């Protein structure tokens, strides 16, 4: 099952403190929560201005979030994010170390931005929803993936037909 996700977090160059996580599956089911243990007092001015105003719950403990995300994702998920590196680390840390990920889960995340670059960096659709809200950003990441899939599929179909002389 493909899952597009996004996180919001506080980072200081040494640690990543998960604020919220949002995800959408290919069947349209959604997941969103904010993390109770997050120390919002450590948020940078940018996070205070661009992320904190969009937080309206629900709020759950990390252990509850991990269990709910595991159930939401299932046994063999394929995770996608946009500029995925910190998001992936933040998600994985819900379970402890990378070695503690649920059985059947990959130790990597696919990156829509890298896929976009590999296709010549076509312009992605504009995001019309709230930016820096994890669920809204996850939905946009799926929209960007859908667009790239269509661009890639259309290019493959066009390449399979002879070119006119």
């Amino acid at each position: 099952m493909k899952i597009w996700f996004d996180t919001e977090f506080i980072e200081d160059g040494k640690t990543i403190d998960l604020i919220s996580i949002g995800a959408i599956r290919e069947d349209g089911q959604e997941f969103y929560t904010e993390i109770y243990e997050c120390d919002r007092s450590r948020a940078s001015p940018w996070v205070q201005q661009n992320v904190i105003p969009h937080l309206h719950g629900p709020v759950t403990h990390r252990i509850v979030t991990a269990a709910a995300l595991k159930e939401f994702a299932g046994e063999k998920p394929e995770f996608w994010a946009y500029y995925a590196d910190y998001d992936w680390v933040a998600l994985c840390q819900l379970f402890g170390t990378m070695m503690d990920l649920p059985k059947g889960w990959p130790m990597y995340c696919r990156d829509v931005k890298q896929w976009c670059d590999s296709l010549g960096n076509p312009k992605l659709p504009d995001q019309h929803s709230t930016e820096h809200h994890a669920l809204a950003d996850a939905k946009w990441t799926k929209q960007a993936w859908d667009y790239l899939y269509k661009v890639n599929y259309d290019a493959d179909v066009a390449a399979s037909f002879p070119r006119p002389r």
Side-chain angles (χ1 to χ4, degrees), residues 92-151:
C92 290
Q93 286 180 340
L94 283 170
F95 299 95
T97 70
M98 187 85 54
M99 300 308 296
D100 298 322
L101 285 172
K103 184 178 183 205
W105 282 30
M107 291 187 167
Y108 63 92
C109 173
R110 298 169 189 262
D111 194 323
V112 171
K113 176 58 177 155
Q114 290 178 359
W115 187 26
C116 182
D117 289 350
S118 76
L119 296 175
N121 207 20
K123 182 176 177 350
L124 296 174
D126 291 333
Q127 183 172 348
H128 298 288
S129 59
T130 303
E131 290 186 37
H132 310 301
H133 180 276
L135 182 57
D137 290 350
K139 289 177 179 181
W140 178 84
T141 300
K142 181 184 183 309
Q143 181 184 8
W145 186 96
D146 289 340
Y147 174 78
L148 291 175
Y149 181 83
K150 183 177 180 342
V151 165

Side-chain angles (χ1 to χ4, degrees), residues 19-119:
I19 298 172
S20 61
I21 184 167
I24 183 166
R25 295 190 315 211
E26 60 188 305
D27 66 3
Q29 292 294 311
E30 298 175 1
F31 178 90
Y32 178 78
T33 194
E34 297 162 11
I35 306 302
Y36 176 80
E37 291 86 353
C38 178
D39 182 359
R40 294 182 186 183
S41 71
R42 294 182 51 245
S44 68
W46 187 93
V47 169
Q48 290 173 12
Q49 181 178 0
N50 293 286
V51 176
I52 302 296
H54 306 302
L55 301 175
H56 304 293
V59 179
T60 58
H61 289 277
R62 291 176 66 85
I63 193 166
V64 173
T65 300
L69 184 61
K70 180 180 176 183
E71 182 176 328
F72 175 81
E75 275 192 32
K76 295 192 178 198
E78 179 181 306
F79 289 101
W80 285 85
Y82 186 73
Y83 283 97
D85 297 335
Y86 275 43
D87 296 305
W88 183 240
V89 171
L91 183 152
C92 290
Q93 286 180 340
L94 283 170
F95 299 95
T97 70
M98 187 85 54
M99 300 308 296
D100 298 322
L101 285 172
K103 184 178 183 205
W105 282 30
M107 291 187 167
Y108 63 92
C109 173
R110 298 169 189 262
D111 194 323
V112 171
K113 176 58 177 155
Q114 290 178 359
W115 187 26
C116 182
D117 289 350
S118 76
L119 296 175

